[in-house]
Amino acid sequence: MTVPRTICLGFLVLITLGTLLLLLPISTTDKGWGDPLVALFTSTSAVCVTGLIVVDTGTYFSTFGEAIILTLIQVGGLGYMTANTFLVLLLGRRLGLRERLAIQQSMDNAALAGGKSLVISIIAMTLVFELTGLFCLYPTFSQDYGSGYGLWLSMFHSISAFNNAGFSLFPDSLMRYAFDPWVNAVITALVIIGGIGYQVIMELLNWLRNRLAGNRRRGLFSLNFKVVTSTTAVLLILGTVAFWVTEYQNPATLGSTTPSLKLLLAWFQSVIARTAGFNSIDIGAMGNASLFIMIALMFIGASPGSTGGGIKTTTIRILLACTRMALQGQEQVLCFRRQIPTSRVLKAIAVVVGSGLVVVGATALLAISNPTLSFITILFESVSAFATVGLSTGITSDLSDFGKYVIIVTMYLGRVGVLLFMGALLGDPKPSAVQYPEEELLIG
């Protein structure tokens, strides 16, 4: 079996297992067998770290069911191959070539060496940040809900935030803490760190270690680090300004608060639009301009090797650089004085085109099966599902059964990736030795 098929089938196995566990009477609060569609939808949303829900998580599921969802989020955020490799290492087995290839492809890592150390580093880093988030959230949640339940809330929301899942045990997500600067700071920090990618985090940690050790020669950042961090910063700033401007006079969102609180709310929405899924304001009350801006941010998504979805920050940066070079009449695609390989440019184009086709198909099917819903809300739901964001204008539970199945498939495709899924269907590519003649073609 090829590596893409292994990864795609692995996610299907996780979704199936999660569905069966969420169907058990012990997983629901009424102690009865769960609804199969609800269980399947919730399991897919958790494994794909999306956060879209058709029932309120905190009231429909029992503590056992919530623990199952949290486990699915953790495994789904790490990725099937990372979690599977970690289990292999726990059993004392050595990593074979197939496992190393799977890690390389799932993490988009160019090197085959160091697979074991990479997985251990990812697990350790994840635990450190999630435990830090737990301890930071605990004082607030324990004060509001008691020490026991406050600890559970802190753990759940810390893991959900770092994995960019967006699941919340509150019926209003985080709207009750919309004006709490501390909770906003902790959640957004976890979302950003989880969304920039493990390789970027490890590179930053290595840079800090070298600086502290006085080794300045090894302090150069890679092109991936520069592109990810700069693009992320620009998107966060632009998103904050855009939401602050478009929703400034909207009394249902930012209009009834002070300028400083408006900035806090706009910042939170800008962060969570990058595949996190929480919300501190009513998304359904936002204007069409804000919804369209959020759709664009969701489609771009997080960064490669992270817990988030979307076409990724590096993809949009490559396409922007390609556009700039084409307008300047140059054939080389440059970024930070480095030439981008043609293979990466073609991959970026394929990711955008494939992702766009999935979103168009999902939107069309939802529009056909739910004719009473507005187009902007349907498009928003489709992009949110594909980019594994989890934000919704409130129509998820109102979708027809067929529409919910469309969202399930869209979430799955968004999590495994269009190119990986096509690789699983078509098998390993076969290079051709045939060279065809070139011919000019009119463009634009």
Side-chain angles (χ1 to χ4, degrees):
M1 184 181 294
T2 63
V3 171
R5 289 176 183 173
T6 301
I7 297 175
C8 291
L9 288 177
F11 276 102
L12 288 177
V13 170
L14 288 175
I15 291 172
T16 302
L17 180 60
T19 301
L20 295 176
L21 291 175
L22 292 177
L23 280 173
L24 298 176
I26 194 177
S27 298
T28 60
T29 53
D30 60 5
K31 303 306 178 184
W33 289 94
D35 186 321
L37 181 54
V38 171
L40 176 61
F41 193 100
T42 306
S43 177
T44 305
S45 184
V47 171
C48 299
V49 289
T50 304
L52 287 174
I53 55 175
V54 290
V55 294
D56 178 43
T57 306
T59 56
Y60 182 88
F61 293 102
S62 63
T63 303
F64 178 81
E66 293 170 359
I68 295 299
I69 293 173
L70 194 62
T71 303
L72 295 175
I73 290 173
Q74 186 69 87
V75 177
L78 289 172
Y80 167 74
M81 288 312 307
T82 303
N84 181 66
T85 304
F86 182 65
L87 291 177
V88 170
L89 295 176
L90 285 180
L91 294 175
R93 292 172 51 191
R94 298 183 60 183
L95 296 181
L97 179 60
R98 179 174 294 276
E99 285 82 3
R100 295 180 185 275
L101 285 171
I103 295 172
Q104 177 198 29
Q105 192 154 357
S106 62
M107 296 299 298
D108 199 16
N109 189 15
L112 282 177
K116 177 180 178 180
S117 59
L118 176 63
V119 170
I120 294 177
S121 299
I122 290 174
I123 299 294
M125 187 189 313
T126 299
L127 293 177
V128 168
F129 283 115
E130 289 176 351
L131 287 174
T132 302
L134 184 155
F135 290 128
C136 291
L137 292 174
Y138 179 72
T140 301
F141 289 158
S142 62
Q143 181 180 359
D144 296 342
Y145 299 96
S147 57
Y149 191 54
L151 180 63
W152 175 241
L153 289 174
S154 303
M155 178 188 301
F156 191 98
H157 287 85
S158 177
I159 294 176
S160 181
F162 181 77
N163 288 282
N164 282 217
F167 273 88
S168 177
L169 297 182
F170 304 125
D172 59 353
S173 189
L174 293 177
M175 291 179 63
R176 63 188 62 191
Y177 293 102
F179 305 128
D180 190 319
W182 178 248
V183 173
N184 277 255
V186 174
I187 295 296
T188 53
L190 289 171
V191 170
I192 293 173
I193 294 172
I196 62 176
Y198 295 109
Q199 297 180 24
V200 172
I201 299 174
M202 287 190 286
E203 190 171 341
L204 179 59
L205 293 177
N206 289 332
W207 178 82
L208 291 174
R209 183 180 60 185
N210 291 329
R211 297 285 292 185
L212 293 175
N215 188 354
R216 298 179 180 272
R217 294 183 178 180
R218 302 182 62 182
L220 297 178
F221 291 115
S222 66
L223 177 62
N224 180 73
F225 181 93
K226 295 177 182 178
V227 170
V228 167
T229 53
S230 61
T231 307
T232 298
V234 170
L235 289 175
L236 290 175
I237 294 173
L238 289 179
T240 302
V241 174
F243 291 132
W244 191 78
V245 171
T246 56
E247 294 295 313
Y248 192 89
Q249 300 293 340
N250 189 343
T253 54
L254 310 185
S256 59
T257 61
T258 63
S260 59
L261 290 179
K262 290 179 181 180
L263 186 61
L264 177 65
L265 293 174
W267 162 257
F268 190 87
Q269 310 319 309
S270 177
V271 173
I272 56 94
R274 307 282 313 293
T275 79
F278 295 107
N279 62 283
S280 60
I281 61 175
D282 183 7
I283 302 297
M286 298 177 70
N288 288 338
S290 301
L291 291 178
F292 190 75
I293 293 171
M294 189 166 284
I295 288 173
L297 292 175
M298 290 192 300
F299 189 71
I300 295 173
S303 302
S306 70
T307 57
I311 64 172
K312 303 297 189 293
T313 53
T314 51
T315 300
I316 192 66
R317 190 63 176 269
I318 288 176
L319 293 182
L320 290 176
C322 183
T323 303
R324 186 180 73 250
M325 294 297 105
L327 293 176
Q328 294 176 354
Q330 301 183 18
E331 296 183 357
Q332 295 180 342
V333 180
L334 303 178
C335 192
F336 287 100
R337 297 184 178 180
R338 294 292 187 272
Q339 182 177 348
I340 307 298
T342 304
S343 60
R344 290 292 173 175
V345 177
L346 294 177
K347 183 177 181 180
I349 296 173
V351 167
V352 173
V353 173
S355 301
L357 291 176
V358 172
V359 170
V360 169
T363 304
L365 291 175
L366 288 178
I368 293 172
S369 58
N370 301 270
T372 59
L373 298 177
S374 65
F375 175 76
I376 188 68
T377 59
I378 291 177
L379 177 62
F380 190 97
E381 197 82 6
S382 300
V383 176
S384 179
F386 177 78
T388 68
V389 178
L391 290 174
S392 176
T393 55
I395 68 170
T396 310
S397 58
D398 298 329
L399 294 174
S400 64
D401 288 350
F402 178 78
K404 292 174 184 176
Y405 284 116
V406 171
I407 293 296
I408 289 172
V409 174
T410 305
M411 289 190 293
Y412 173 75
L413 292 177
R415 183 64 183 96
V416 300
V418 175
L419 297 187
L420 190 68
F421 181 75
M422 293 304 299
L425 291 179
L426 303 177
D428 293 330
K430 298 178 180 180
S432 175
V434 180
Q435 295 291 332
Y436 295 96
E438 291 184 357
E439 185 174 348
E440 292 294 333
L441 180 67
L442 297 179
I443 301 294

